[in-house]
Amino acid sequence: MWTMVALLLDLASNGIVRAGPGTIFVYLLVMTQLTIFTVTLYLHRSQTHRSVDFHPALTHAFRFWSWLTTAMVTREWVAVHRMHHAHSDTEQDPHSPHVLGIGTLLFKGTELYAEACRSKELLTKYGRGTPDDWIERHVYTPHCNCGPTVLAIVDLALFGVGGMAIWAIQMMWIPFWAAGVVNGIGHWWGYRNFETADRSANLIPWAMWVGGEELHNNHHAFPSSAKFSMRRFEFDLGWLVIQMLAGLKLAHVKRVACADRKHPEYHAIKGPQHATLAPRVWAMTEYFRKVMLPAVRDETRRCGATPSPSLSLRLRRALADGGRWLTADDRVHLNAWIDARPCLRTLCEFRTQLAALMEQRDVDVGSDGLSRWAHAAEVSGIGSLQTFAASLLANTIATR
Ligand SMILES: [Zn+2]
Ligand SMILES: [Zn+2]
């Protein structure tokens, strides 16, 4: 009798495996990384954006893992994320830190997600094409919470009562890193390679623990690309795994963005395998890089000898989007700085007109508005603007 009690007490405190801290650490690392891969490879890149297909057996393994470790339903995740892309950083975005506050995203990201999932309209409009077989209808969707319950029992059996702490970390992993950090900080802080219409940013060039999702601005620029890294110093762990799976014939990549920024046609390559930049993103990125930034640098150099209030990096960045996201005070400051510099004011006006034109669907060189804009740029007498106008026309012709 006492032996039995002692055995049960030992099992409760140490679990079946009697793991030490090292084993627990490795277990947590492997389990959380598998969950991250399930989210970024399966839910995000494959189901939401259709940039990669997986072997049916692997697809099902992802579905099972998602059920076991996250309780997330594929259709709901896909719908919420597609809605985010369709309305990024607007009132309709289910999780914009600029609308809801960064604190809300970091600490209540899961609640925002759950609230968005309650909208039947959202699920119908954005959740198409996700699994709808027997197991989805009878197990994964109606019993989504059973997965984490099973996982809790497994952790308890393996590690004893300490397994509950391990389980809690597993349960917090995706809500914190995906719903909080990527959805929140990924639209709040970081560097931008592309002038997308939203405020997406690359957090850092590499972050193994979020599997490539840290390159969020690249992803918003090329949503249908299976690969998120674009520059030489950026590393996408998810893409590395996709390549390995493709080598094993378990993955079929459907689209990849051309990563060579110096390639003369990196934005214009067309074909089933290439994700391309939207004309608006390409035009606004090039305009900022090749027209606005050189003009600001010239201005700074010119004023170098005389005392002149220089523009903070934040306000300089704001020239990329016309100060759209600045506070009223900052916008007044920026406008005053621009108004004192006629050449820059002209360039800002051209930028505003170009942005409005590029918002229109099917904009091409044949459109009166763009032709008029290019003509005005060519006679502006500003060298960088003239060069840009010529490349814009050439690019638009090439992509028609
Ligand atoms: Zn985003
Ligand atoms: Zn996405």
Side-chain angles (χ1 to χ4, degrees), residues 17-31 158-159 166:
V17 293
R18 310 178 77 81
T23 310
I24 290 173
F25 178 75
V26 171
Y27 173 82
L28 261 178
L29 200 68
V30 171
M31 296 292 274
L158 290 176
F159 306 106
I166 295 168

Side-chain angles (χ1 to χ4, degrees), residues 84 187 216 220:
H84 164 65
H187 277 257
H216 202 61
H220 270 268

Side-chain angles (χ1 to χ4, degrees), residues 44-45 48-49 77 81-82 84-85 213 216 219-220 223-224 228:
H44 193 192
R45 304 187 206 208
T48 305
H49 296 294
W77 199 98
H81 190 69
R82 284 179 183 161
H84 164 65
H85 274 272
E213 293 290 324
H216 202 61
H219 170 59
H220 270 268
S224 62
F228 291 175

Side-chain angles (χ1 to χ4, degrees), residues 273-321:
Q273 303 86 3
H274 290 101
T276 54
L277 271 180
R280 185 208 168 279
V281 179
W282 176 82
M284 301 322 293
T285 302
E286 293 290 289
Y287 192 85
F288 179 60
R289 239 167 256 287
K290 297 191 172 158
V291 181
M292 293 302 288
L293 278 183
V296 172
R297 274 196 291 269
D298 285 351
E299 184 63 33
T300 309
R301 252 196 311 271
R302 196 176 62 76
C303 297
T306 56
S308 164
S310 62
L311 209 57
S312 71
L313 189 62
R314 194 166 56 84
L315 293 188
R316 190 180 293 205
R317 285 287 324 164
L319 289 169
D321 51 42

